[in-house]
Amino acid sequence: MLQIRNIHKTFAPGTANEKKVLKGLSLHLAHGDFATIIGSNGAGKSTLFNAIAGTFLTDEGQILIDGEDMTFKPETYRAKVIGRIFQDPMKGTAPDLTIEQNLAIPYASQKKGLHPAITRRDREVFREALARLGMGLEDRMKTKMGLLSGGQRQAVTLLMAVIITPKILLLDEHTAALDPLTAEKVFKITREVVAEKGITTLMITHNIASALELGNRTLMMDDGNVVLDIQGEERKSLTVAELLQKYREVKGEMLDNDRILLS
């Protein structure tokens, strides 16, 4: 489903601020894979997401989604097959539009011809999707997004990303800004939606335990590359301590990142 072949990205090349962020990274995700990604700040996690989403073009390498070469496709084109949720609940939605208007933005892409108005059938679809969140938002569809709490907004953003099933879903620490109880609820909704729709998913997290619990693969990034790819039977029995030991064996040093270790 997702093939990344030897991608490189350097920012500000040839200047005093030159920084090589992706260094020959290759990765293959099969249809339905749910891979969690951990790594220190600066490891290249969000840069990888930006490369996949088309926020910038890579310097070298190739990116294919479902067999289609996306390497030089613009971000707007890739958005048709990629859903993305950011850490900040304020991103990805229009605060001055209502809940139903926000949901209508991605939903309208499946309609043929010009149908700017939200139909009764559209509202039924939105109401059913919102009801699954268990937050009572199906009765507040006329409420502006900017008036929702962070958790409510992030849950609606998740629905926006999957209401038309994407081929790839990118979750960039999408619960990090939420309180623990709300984060757990959004995690639960995420697991259910991804499993039901069989969406190929990449999720960045700083919580190692979550990285080993969610999905079917755990990737560890360091210095612009994937240094560990844990899956199958090995992953099922792996503990946090054992994963850190594997990192030490590969890198020759212990992981030194307080945010990850304290999580």
Side-chain angles (χ1 to χ4, degrees):
M1 175 57 73
L2 175 65
Q3 289 183 302
I4 299 174
R5 300 172 178 168
N6 194 38
I7 60 172
H8 293 255
K9 183 62 184 179
T10 299
F11 293 107
T15 73
N17 295 319
E18 178 177 301
K19 184 171 181 59
K20 295 181 179 180
V21 186
L22 298 177
K23 305 176 181 179
L25 187 149
S26 293
L27 177 66
H28 174 255
L29 263 64
H31 177 77
D33 270 352
F34 185 161
T36 56
I37 305 177
I38 53 177
S40 302
N41 292 334
K45 304 182 300 297
S46 291
T47 304
L48 171 62
F49 274 22
N50 287 334
I52 295 170
T55 306
F56 53 72
L57 298 181
T58 55
D59 301 328
E60 298 178 43
Q62 192 176 29
I63 298 173
L64 296 93
I65 297 177
D66 200 18
E68 182 178 3
D69 192 342
M70 296 287 185
T71 309
F72 300 107
K73 300 290 187 183
E75 187 172 16
T76 51
Y77 182 89
R78 301 189 204 192
K80 298 175 183 178
V81 296
I82 296 174
R84 187 174 184 182
I85 306 179
F86 297 88
Q87 178 178 338
D88 185 354
M90 302 301 286
K91 285 188 176 182
T93 58
D96 292 329
L97 297 183
T98 65
I99 294 174
E100 67 174 24
Q101 288 171 331
N102 272 272
L103 288 170
I105 294 172
Y107 191 70
S109 65
Q110 75 169 356
K111 294 184 177 181
K112 296 180 180 179
L114 297 175
H115 298 278
I118 299 174
T119 67
R120 179 181 298 179
R121 175 56 185 157
D122 293 342
R123 289 192 174 94
E124 290 174 357
V125 172
F126 299 161
R127 176 176 289 275
E128 182 179 347
L130 289 165
R132 293 187 57 186
L133 300 179
M135 296 180 173
L137 296 178
E138 65 275 16
D139 297 319
R140 299 178 59 191
M141 292 199 297
K142 299 291 186 182
T143 301
K144 289 186 176 181
M145 283 291 294
L147 298 178
L148 301 183
S149 69
Q152 291 171 332
R153 191 160 179 167
Q154 204 69 313
V156 175
T157 304
L158 177 62
L159 288 186
M160 290 175 64
V162 301
I163 197 163
I164 302 300
T165 306
K167 292 183 177 179
I168 302 292
L169 180 62
L170 304 177
L171 305 174
D172 194 347
E173 294 192 81
H174 69 306
T175 63
L178 308 179
D179 65 82
L181 288 177
T182 305
E184 181 55 36
K185 190 164 193 174
V186 173
F187 261 141
K188 180 176 181 294
I189 296 166
T190 302
R191 286 195 296 265
E192 291 173 353
V193 169
V194 168
E196 178 184 311
K197 293 177 175 281
I199 305 171
T200 305
T201 302
L202 280 167
M203 185 186 82
I204 295 173
T205 178
H206 272 89
N207 189 305
I208 302 181
S210 294
L212 290 173
E213 174 191 356
L214 295 170
N216 66 310
R217 291 173 67 178
T218 296
L219 309 175
M220 179 170 276
M221 288 188 63
D222 185 78
D223 195 26
N225 225 319
V226 175
V227 295
L228 287 173
D229 182 355
I230 312 296
Q231 54 187 301
E233 291 300 319
E234 179 185 21
R235 183 178 185 268
K236 289 180 181 179
S237 60
L238 197 67
T239 66
V240 171
E242 289 169 341
L243 178 59
L244 294 175
Q245 179 58 33
K246 282 183 174 293
Y247 175 86
R248 181 177 184 177
E249 292 170 358
V250 170
K251 296 297 297 181
E253 59 186 11
M254 291 296 295
L255 179 66
D256 183 17
N257 184 282
D258 290 342
R259 184 180 177 191
I260 293 178
L261 296 175
L262 291 175
S263 293

